[in-house]
Amino acid sequence: MTFIIEAIKDDCRTVDFRDSAIVAVILARKHAVNGFVVSITAPDGQLFSADQFNRLLASRGLGSNPAARDVARR
């Protein structure tokens, strides 16, 4: 699975590829801290902006506690 990280700031644009969601999010967040507008495209074509990175991790079964999700559903 390939995740595509695109970061844009002024006239600078970078595109990186990572094999896991967690590694893609780590890199994307580093870019965001440096002032880039960042998005990640998942292997299924879904586009995630910076405010949706937690949703990306949750949809991949990462970055969230399953017990906490059960509580949130109630």
Side-chain angles (χ1 to χ4, degrees):
M1 296 193 318
T2 301
F3 294 85
I4 303 167
I5 305 98
E6 182 177 19
I8 301 171
K9 179 179 175 183
D10 302 323
D11 292 338
C12 183
R13 177 179 178 261
T14 65
V15 178
D16 294 286
F17 302 90
R18 295 294 183 266
D19 290 331
S20 78
I22 189 76
V23 175
V25 169
I26 290 169
L27 177 60
R29 286 181 173 161
K30 286 181 181 180
H31 285 311
V33 166
N34 289 320
F36 284 80
V37 174
V38 187
S39 64
I40 298 175
T41 304
D44 62 4
Q46 265 191 296
L47 184 67
F48 295 86
S49 57
D51 63 335
Q52 299 171 321
F53 290 164
N54 287 338
R55 191 169 63 92
L56 169 63
L57 294 176
S59 71
R60 300 291 183 246
L62 302 169
S64 62
N65 180 341
R69 281 196 309 251
D70 289 340
V71 169
R73 288 182 193 152
R74 295 179 191 167

